[in-house]
Structure formats: structure tokens, C-alpha cells
Amino acid sequence: MTDTAPSAAQVSSVPEARGRAESWLADFEAALAARDVERAAGMFAPVSYWRDLVAFTWNIKTVEGREGVADLLASCLETTAPTAFRVTEEPVEGEGIVEAWFSFETATGRGRGLLRLTSEGAWTFLTTLDELKGFEEPARDRRPRGVQHGAHKDRLTWKEQRELEASRMGVDEQPYVVVIGAGQGGIGLGARLRRLGVPALLVERGERPGDSWRKRYKSLCLHDPVWYDHLPYLPFPDNWPVFSPKDKIADWLESYVAAMEIPCWTRSEVTAIEWDAGAERWNVTVDRSGEQVILTPRHVVFATGMSSKPNLPEFPGMDVFEGEQHHSSEHPGPEAYAGKKVVVIGSNNSSHDICAAMWEHDIDVTMVQRSSTHIVRSDSLMELGLGPLYSEEAVRAGMTTDKADMTFASLPYRILHEFQIPVYQAIKERDADFYARLEKAGFEHDWGDDESGLFMKYLRRGSGYYIDVGAADLVASGDIKLAHGQVDHLTRNSVVLEDGTELEADLVVYATGYGSMNGWVADLAGQEMADRVGKVWGLGSDTTKDPGPWEGEERNMWKPTRQEGLWFHGGNLHQSRHYSLYLGLQLKARYEGIPTPVYALQEVHHTS
């Protein structure tokens, strides 16, 4: 959700741009070939950023400045042995910055990248691993035949082969990877691993793949547009709605599992995991439809979702409240609450959605705002925030999903907020009347700690915002009642705030967000292991709910953790799609015995 620098309107293709880019890449390659770390680092600007997605570091890592570049190269250059840097499309130049897409090779793989070059040297430098040499995906001219022509006794059909494989997985054959969860994260990674030939099994406690969406409250709909939400390999058809209803996306995920032939156990809940250090594998206990099964994979991936570990508060009086109360993740919808009084604790996405659905059913509903929330109108976000990369206009201009993902990835998190601030300033000006009405109604609104808006809040803390699809107008008009303050306690039939305000309630919905994904590790493997890997998500920006020190990448996501063989995968559909490639390649390399020396394994600064 960002505009990029320089923007398409500011750039032009000129011969000098190609010359500068080709010259820089050639000189950089020569320095690397000579193993001249100081010379190579000196080709970066004093203020510069190199973001590497697995290609050099077997990690997801950003280094800063010439000193950071030198440290990375000193550790990784010999084993990476990079060569063949080539410009792959016409570079562009704007505002003194040359932007050039390039390809390259390493000792083990092939990669792509994006260079932004100023008069001082490389300003931003993105390198990504695309594929492993000798283990390329079976696509295009390498696609499987699908049938063995000729006459063969005891031939198995495709269906028989699939049934045989399914019957043996976890029984006669152990998966190399167990992925916990079959939401968009687990399913996308499952597709990558299937294509890469890594024996992997998805384990899903729901009855069907996609139940993590299907079982949510009735009115839930994706707030991100379709261009942002494609799955790997199989994009949505061109008549897919801009915003996907939750049951439609759930059905798509289920059909995707079948189409991509992803091994998946449903009605199967992981109840415990234990690392066997001697055997260097996991013992994963699964309740499979009432039968206990032990799986012994080398790797376990938690794809349980950022929004799946409910934060259920503990307020005095919850045990005496005589009405119904539940977390928003368990909310069934408004139908059962006609004629009742509903109090929703919280003021972010889920709260707004649930309150709006209550209002549509003529239910008396009150939103309790405990802290300020950032709101951005969907139309403004789509046009000003996402439009340059993820929109029909971007597609018509030649922007593919892959190129959009790479462009977005090329801006290091350290400076991303600088490009977000003007986007949200423009939104603030465009929708000034809307925000004035909200504030007049008493809604406490913010733009983030540094005015950088929604996406930085998402990256830093995963909370504190609402993409408005209509509920905010109901708050502004008073149709959704608004109360402020912390909850002091509950009585038999009410919620009482710290200032003494008493809100009658037959139902209390706790739209209080979700905890760190390492909470699932604590549940399944114990608190000691959860603390060993530490908090999941956040950048260390030292902003609200994202304590420092600065880490430069999302904590523990899509990369090695402090526990061997334990990984986390997820995020929104865009992140699940894009980063599943890099996690898949890391697992494939380990499966094939390719050395994977990890540069700068993440330190643990926070445990929850």
C-alpha cells in the first residue's frame, strides 16, 4: 500500500539511464569477482539500503550504508559467488534517480533485483532468489506429461495415483514439512512446496480448507482489492469481484487446494509438537478425526495466521455477566440478536464490521473506543495508496502482479514511511469533510505515530486501523453509538467503564484483536520454546506497540528462527503470495542438502 519513488509520472527512459545502470552493475560484478569487499561497498551511497530476500543471505535481511554492505559481503560473498548481472528491461530516470531491473546468478540459484542509483551510488538495492539451479519448478517446457503413452500393465490413472499418495502420506511416508493451518498462508506455501517437489502436508483443524474465512462473522469481506490478493500461480479470473466475500474466498481456497494437488488433512488438529534434537526432527501429535497420529517432519511451519490467536481480555465481572459474550473471531453474525442491546469492545476493523451488521438488522449497538484508531476510506486507499501498483489501471499500464510485488519489496522498511506520509496527507485533504464529521461525533482518530497511515500501522503492530466500507459514516451519524474509555468491570447485565458510564448489554463482543503467533508455539510446544523464538511481527520501530530496537524486517516471518526447523508464514494475501516463494526455496534447499549458511540470524529482543 504505497506509492513508489520515483513515480511513473516522474520517470522517463533515456539512453543515459541504461548506460549508468549497466556500468554500475558491471563494476559491481567485477568488484565481487575480485572479492574486493571495500570496493563493492564503496559503490553504495553513504545513506543506502540493500534488501536481500534469500539470494545472498539465506535470510530476509536489510543492511544499511556502506558498513552494512561490507559486513554482508564479507560473510556471504565467497559462498554466494554472484555473477551475470544483466539489465532486463529499459531503465528509467526521474528526479535524479535511475531505476533498473536486473537479473543475476549465484552458485546455487538465479535471481532478480531492482537497483535505484543516484549520483552518490546505489541508494536502494533489492536482490531476490527466484529459483535453485538444478531444481527448477516443472513449468512451461518442463511441465509434466500427465500421461505415459503406450500400453502398460498395472497402469495407475491420475486419480489412483493421487489416492495412493494420500493414503501413504503420514502413514507409510513422512512429510519433510508439516504446515499447520490451511488458510491463505498455508495453502499458498503448500502450492509452492508441491511445485518444488518437497514432501509437505497441511494440517487443518477445520472441516474444509478455507474454514479460517468460512467460519468468521457473516458480513466479513476482504478489504483489500482483487489485484492485491491473487494466490501463487493461479490468479483470480478477470470477473472476480473487487472485494471478495469471505465465503467466496473460502470456496476459492478449497478449490485451489484441489487444483494444485496440495496434500491436506482436514478435521485434524495439532495438539503438541516436540523437537527431537538427537534425530533433528519434530514429533507432531495430531488428533485426526479422533485418532491420534504422530508425524515426524524435519520442519514445522506455523501458518496459523496473524489474526488467529485471539486476545481475550480479563475484566472483573466477566464471570457474573448473564448475557452472551465472545471474541470477534467467534462472532456468528447479527441474526440471533434482534431486540437485544449489544456492546462491542474495540474500534478497529472487526468492531466496525460487526457494528455495521448489527445496525443493518436494527439492533441497538454501542462501540467502545478504548484508544484512537486510524480510518481510511476504501475508495481513497484504492486510488491513492494501491492504485499505482494494484489496480486495473496499473494492469493496463503493464504492471504485473509479480512486478508490483517486487516494486513494493524494493523499498526498505526503514524509509517506507517517508513514501507513505504524502499518500496519507493527500487522503487527509481529499476526505477532510469525512474526518471532520467523525471528529464532531467524538471519534478519536489518528494517522499513526508519524502520520504515515494504515500500512505502516499494519507492518509495525498489525492493529489500530479500519478500512472504511461504510461503518464509519454510521459512527459519524450516531447510528452506531459511541462510548469512550477503558472497561472497569461487567455486572450481571452491563459493561461499566472507568468513568462510571454504564452500558446495558445482552451481548458483549470483544473485538480486542489478536496476539503474537508465537502464542501458538507456547500452546503446542511450551513457553520456553515460544520465548526462544520470540515475538512474531513488528519492525522494532519504537512506535506504539512496536518496541525497539530496530530490526529492519518483520520479526521471525518467512525466515529462519532461533529454533531449528521452526518457521512462521502468513500475513495478508499479498504477503502470503510473495513471501511463500522465499520460504519455499529455503525449505527446498534444505531438503536437497544444499548448504544454507544463514547471515545475521535474528536476535530475540521481545518474547510476546
Side-chain angles (χ1 to χ4, degrees), residues 11-187:
V11 299
S12 59
S13 177
V14 293
E16 291 82 1
R18 172 174 279 275
R20 287 180 61 191
E22 289 181 334
S23 177
W24 190 94
L25 289 170
D27 290 347
F28 186 62
E29 182 175 343
L32 298 183
R35 302 298 188 261
D36 191 338
V37 169
E38 184 177 351
R39 177 184 162 196
M43 297 178 63
F44 284 73
V47 177
S48 53
Y49 310 88
W50 181 353
R51 188 174 193 223
D52 180 65
L53 306 183
V54 181
F56 279 72
T57 60
W58 291 108
N59 201 349
I60 294 179
K61 181 68 178 177
T62 299
V63 295
E64 301 182 10
R66 292 168 177 167
E67 183 177 344
V69 171
D71 188 74
L72 185 155
L73 289 174
S75 297
C76 306
L77 182 54
E78 197 62 41
T79 55
T80 304
T83 60
F85 287 82
R86 301 290 183 270
V87 170
T88 55
E89 60 182 75
E90 200 63 34
V92 294
E93 183 171 4
E95 298 184 353
I97 300 171
V98 171
E99 190 172 283
W101 294 94
F102 63 91
S103 62
F104 64 97
E105 295 187 14
T106 69
T108 56
R110 301 179 186 89
R112 294 175 298 153
L114 179 60
L115 165 69
R116 292 189 183 94
L117 190 61
T118 71
S119 59
E120 294 184 298
W123 172 44
T124 71
F125 191 57
L126 172 71
T127 49
T128 71
L129 184 64
D130 234 15
E131 61 183 6
L132 296 167
K133 292 178 179 177
F135 304 102
E136 297 83 0
E137 292 186 5
R140 301 181 181 87
D141 58 346
R142 293 188 297 271
R143 70 176 70 222
R145 294 278 293 174
V147 67
Q148 186 178 9
H149 288 154
H152 303 277
K153 293 184 182 294
D154 301 319
R155 177 200 297 269
L156 294 179
T157 65
W158 169 84
K159 183 174 184 293
E160 290 168 336
Q161 290 173 342
R162 293 284 292 122
E163 290 173 343
L164 178 63
E165 178 188 19
S167 70
R168 295 178 60 84
M169 178 62 78
V171 181
D172 301 310
E173 298 176 359
Q174 286 294 317
Y176 183 71
V177 180
V178 164
V179 180
I180 305 175
Q184 73 260 14
I187 287 171

Side-chain angles (χ1 to χ4, degrees), residues 46 60 92 217 221 303 326 385 406 452 529 545 558 565:
I60 294 179
V92 294
Y217 55 87
C221 196
H326 53 240
M406 291 281 287
S452 59
M529 183 168 290
K545 295 188 178 182
W558 317 295

Side-chain angles (χ1 to χ4, degrees), residues 423-438:
V423 172
Y424 287 92
Q425 180 61 43
I427 290 174
K428 182 189 297 187
E429 295 171 1
R430 169 176 168 156
D431 295 329
D433 291 344
F434 165 75
Y435 292 111
R437 286 190 291 112
L438 265 182

Side-chain angles (χ1 to χ4, degrees), residues 364-404:
D364 184 331
V365 61
T366 300
M367 176 189 295
V368 177
Q369 185 176 31
R370 299 183 298 164
S371 58
S372 64
T373 299
H374 170 57
I375 294 181
V376 59
R377 301 182 82 171
S378 177
D379 289 348
S380 298
L381 178 64
M382 285 188 51
E383 181 179 336
L384 300 178
L386 286 171
L389 296 181
Y390 300 99
S391 66
E392 203 61 39
E393 292 74 18
V395 172
R396 283 196 291 268
M399 181 63 72
T400 65
T401 302
D402 177 68
K403 189 173 182 179

Side-chain angles (χ1 to χ4, degrees), residues 240-315:
W240 194 266
V242 174
F243 301 105
S244 301
K246 58 109 176 174
D247 293 293
K248 189 172 181 66
I249 194 68
D251 289 348
W252 179 261
L253 292 172
E254 185 174 24
S255 64
Y256 183 88
V257 168
M260 301 304 291
E261 302 180 9
I262 303 169
C264 181
W265 283 0
T266 55
R267 301 181 185 88
S268 301
E269 183 171 4
V270 175
T271 58
I273 65 171
E274 181 181 8
W275 175 248
D276 184 335
E280 295 187 329
R281 69 184 187 192
W282 294 94
N283 294 317
V284 179
T285 305
V286 181
D287 180 340
R288 190 182 188 196
S289 300
E291 178 188 359
Q292 181 173 293
V293 180
I294 306 294
L295 301 173
T296 56
R298 180 65 179 79
H299 298 271
V300 169
V301 180
F302 280 81
T304 46
M306 269 191 63
S307 301
S308 66
K309 185 66 176 173
N311 271 336
L312 188 63
E314 295 182 3
F315 297 132

Side-chain angles (χ1 to χ4, degrees), residues 205 212 215-217 220 304-313 327-331 348-351 354 370 461-465 509-520 535-537 545 608:
R205 65 184 176 183
S212 56
K215 300 299 185 182
R216 296 291 297 279
Y217 55 87
L220 179 62
T304 46
M306 269 191 63
S307 301
S308 66
K309 185 66 176 173
N311 271 336
L312 188 63
H327 190 267
S328 58
S329 60
E330 299 175 337
H331 182 64
N348 296 332
N349 267 331
S350 294
S351 175
I354 291 169
R370 299 183 298 164
R461 53 184 279 193
S463 66
Y465 52 83
V509 180
Y510 299 104
T512 46
Y514 298 87
S516 170
M517 286 175 69
N518 71 333
W520 289 113
K535 179 180 174 68
V536 181
W537 205 259
K545 295 188 178 182
S608 61

